[in-house]
Amino acid sequence: MIIDNFEQIKGLLEFPNEDTFYHLQIIRRGKDHPNLPCANRTIMTYYLDSSNKLDKLKEEIIGICKMFGARAYINLNPRSYKKTTMDTIAALAHRDSEGDYKKIYRTWNTVCGSEKSKNARWIIDVDEPNEFSYEEITEELINFYLKNDKTLTHEQIREPEVLKNYIIAKIPTKNGYHLITKGFNREEFSKKFGNKIDIHRNNPTILYIPEIKND
């Protein structure tokens, strides 16, 4: 099954200034190639600083994914070129103090992957969509947001233009979907759904998955 989220993802990218970029990687996963030695591998990394750039790279990204049987992921939390640069310099200085020079060229990309954003978008990773319904999950989130914002009413938050600021998108994945949301109380959420749904604060979501044949 092919997963193509280019159009939906493009609508979620915001570029308030020239300092903003998004971290996109093409990754071949061992899970998709159980018979291939050393299958886990980052094939390509991109830094998107305009939605036009995603359009221009689309065919290239799809072609590379098909060639390697890899997936394209994008983190929907924007990065800052300046902050990433400063944090990379600090990381390089730390490596130097530790005498750790092996694969030091990867430092920038490592920092890109771990950078945190203000007002981060979280991911609720639903791999078993038949166990908990989309409506059940979103209702739990709405109740939390209402508890924490007394200016909102039940009617207001359900208006599409308001709700999209809290429950931002539903991104198809291979086995279910990623619900992109504003932050919430993980402990309260887990009381309702247990450990059957993973929550990620700074992880990428799926941009593209080709038809992958197991080796």
Side-chain angles (χ1 to χ4, degrees), residues 3-202:
I3 304 291
D4 183 341
N5 295 326
F6 274 91
E7 284 307 308
Q8 189 178 10
I9 294 292
K10 181 182 173 182
L12 299 174
L13 305 182
E14 298 173 348
F15 300 93
N17 53 56
E18 293 182 353
D19 185 51
T20 300
F21 73 96
Y22 292 85
H23 191 222
L24 189 162
Q25 291 188 301
I26 298 176
I27 298 173
R28 186 177 65 193
R29 304 195 329 160
K31 247 180 168 178
D32 294 329
H33 303 277
N35 299 318
L36 184 64
C38 303
N40 288 312
R41 179 183 168 193
T42 299
I43 306 296
M44 186 72 75
T45 300
Y46 299 94
Y47 310 99
L48 299 181
D49 45 28
S50 75
S51 55
N52 290 337
K53 196 166 184 179
L54 184 61
D55 285 333
K56 290 176 182 176
L57 290 169
K58 180 177 179 179
E59 292 309 312
E60 179 179 316
I61 291 168
I62 290 174
I64 293 172
C65 286
K66 288 179 177 178
M67 182 184 299
F68 288 92
R71 304 179 178 202
Y73 294 89
I74 185 168
N75 194 311
L76 293 175
N77 290 310
R79 273 63 174 132
S80 156
Y81 277 125
K82 181 177 180 180
K83 186 174 187 307
T84 303
T85 299
M86 295 299 104
D87 288 347
T88 299
I89 291 170
L92 288 169
H94 177 72
R95 280 174 173 259
D96 179 51
S97 70
E98 297 289 319
D100 177 15
Y101 304 109
K102 190 176 181 181
K103 297 182 179 177
I104 201 165
Y105 60 90
R106 292 182 178 176
T107 306
W108 165 271
N109 204 37
T110 299
V111 171
C112 279
S114 61
E115 283 291 89
K116 294 180 180 178
S117 302
K118 291 180 181 178
N119 302 315
R121 293 165 169 176
W122 289 18
I123 293 176
I124 299 175
D125 186 358
V126 182
D127 271 343
E128 298 292 340
N130 294 327
E131 186 159 0
F132 300 108
S133 71
Y134 171 78
E135 290 74 20
E136 189 179 2
I137 294 169
T138 55
E139 192 62 30
E140 186 70 16
L141 291 171
I142 286 171
N143 289 336
F144 170 78
Y145 296 132
L146 285 170
K147 256 194 252 178
N148 286 271
D149 187 345
K150 301 302 182 183
T151 65
L152 277 176
T153 67
H154 285 78
E155 292 75 23
Q156 285 172 334
I157 198 170
R158 284 174 170 79
E159 293 175 7
E161 286 304 307
V162 176
L163 187 58
K164 72 179 184 181
N165 295 316
Y166 297 89
I167 301 173
I168 299 159
K170 183 182 179 184
I171 307 291
T173 64
K174 189 174 181 181
N175 298 313
Y177 59 88
H178 283 169
L179 204 57
I180 313 300
T181 74
K182 186 177 177 180
F184 53 90
N185 188 307
R186 294 180 65 168
E187 191 175 330
E188 285 185 21
F189 188 88
S190 294
K191 284 178 186 176
K192 172 80 175 178
F193 300 104
N195 297 318
K196 295 181 179 180
I197 298 178
D198 291 330
I199 301 165
H200 307 290
R201 296 187 186 188
N202 191 27

